[in-house]
Amino acid sequence: MRIDILTLFPEILEGPLRVSLLGKAIEQGILTVALTNIRDFATDRHRTVDDEPYGGGAGMVMKCAPLFAAVESLSDCNSLDRVILLSPRGRRLDQAIVRDLAATPDLVLICGRYEGFDERAAQALATDEISIGDYVLSGGELPALVLVEALSRMLPGVVGDFESVETDSFYDGLLGPPQYTRPPVFRGMETPEVLRNGNHAAIRRWRRKEALRATRARRPDLLVNLTKEDQRLLDEI
Ligand code: SAM
């Protein structure tokens, strides 16, 4: 998969793209992430990428021309089928969106700054607008990293044991079950016996039940499309 990220601050992204699972995925060529500095596409002497908002008001707005030129410059290496603005006004990111985007061969992510984008970029340049949550950051670089890291976990070979992705929260719609590691007793708190007895069917059942328990307590809105077995487990809780 190839992801082109357009930003005014590539240095925010460079470090995180070099380390851990993301760094390895890029090193192994499972994922290509290319950074483009939007300022390189400003044509005036001062390399201006923003201007005052029409109608007045605080802050500056990102101009159309450098954004359009930066995206168009990628047409040789990116299909430009999915051009995504990171924006608090976008659809809120969830695992279903991550899954959908991970199935596409290439993406363009555009990071805003200042008061955000001229609306014509949303109308005529972007195919999607995505928000990472109902709060406002100063730029789209961290949201872009959130999206890239979530996408990378869906790509075969990035997380060594894909089963660990399959048991993550949201993978099958529920929150994940609680987890424990050694020692079996810590400050008087015990690890559930079932996890230590090697009975894999019992462990699977316990995990599903605990995932249902946590989801019902914390995110009941996620309890949809339950199987009969899920319903039975919920009734037992
Ligand atoms: N004036 C904009 C508004 O009210 O919607 C906020 C602009 S914000 C200060 C600057 C940039 O940060 C945005 O253009 C966007 O790229 C990014 N950003 C901020 N919060 C975000 C969020 N929750 N999700 C995605 N991007 C966000």
Side-chain angles (χ1 to χ4, degrees), residues 192-223:
E193 169 62 28
V194 62
L195 298 178
R196 289 181 276 141
N197 68 13
N199 179 339
H200 294 291
I203 291 171
R204 249 194 317 278
R205 188 174 193 281
W206 181 88
R207 287 192 169 140
R208 187 72 187 171
K209 190 169 175 178
E210 293 310 310
L212 287 161
R213 188 197 303 274
T215 307
R216 184 162 77 181
R218 300 172 185 197
R219 291 291 305 276
D221 56 301
L222 298 176
L223 287 178

Side-chain angles (χ1 to χ4, degrees), residues 162-237:
F162 200 73
E163 205 185 316
S164 76
V165 172
E166 288 168 347
T167 55
D168 277 343
S169 293
F170 307 114
Y171 187 86
D172 64 358
L174 301 182
L175 301 183
Q179 320 240 43
Y180 298 86
T181 187
R182 277 185 283 264
V185 182
F186 177 73
R187 297 190 178 179
M189 294 177 283
E190 282 210 34
T191 301
E193 169 62 28
V194 62
L195 298 178
R196 289 181 276 141
N197 68 13
N199 179 339
H200 294 291
I203 291 171
R204 249 194 317 278
R205 188 174 193 281
W206 181 88
R207 287 192 169 140
R208 187 72 187 171
K209 190 169 175 178
E210 293 310 310
L212 287 161
R213 188 197 303 274
T215 307
R216 184 162 77 181
R218 300 172 185 197
R219 291 291 305 276
D221 56 301
L222 298 176
L223 287 178
V224 287
N225 304 324
L226 295 182
T227 63
K228 280 200 181 117
E229 175 61 11
D230 287 338
Q231 205 48 65
R232 253 195 305 276
L233 289 171
L234 271 174
D235 292 344
E236 281 178 25
I237 295 170

Side-chain angles (χ1 to χ4, degrees), residues 60 62 85-91 110-117 130-144:
M60 301 293 270
M62 290 181 75
L85 294 183
L86 279 317
S87 163
R89 301 176 69 221
R91 252 189 323 155
I110 309 182
C111 308
R113 280 272 151 182
Y114 317 119
E115 285 309 309
F117 309 98
I130 290 182
S131 162
I132 61 160
D134 293 348
Y135 44 85
V136 175
L137 303 170
S138 301
E141 288 75 15
L142 297 179

Side-chain angles (χ1 to χ4, degrees), residues 20-39:
S20 189
L21 292 181
L22 207 45
K24 276 199 205 115
I26 291 170
E27 204 177 284
Q28 290 168 5
I30 300 171
L31 177 65
T32 298
V33 181
L35 305 179
T36 296
N37 192 331
I38 298 163
R39 203 174 288 285

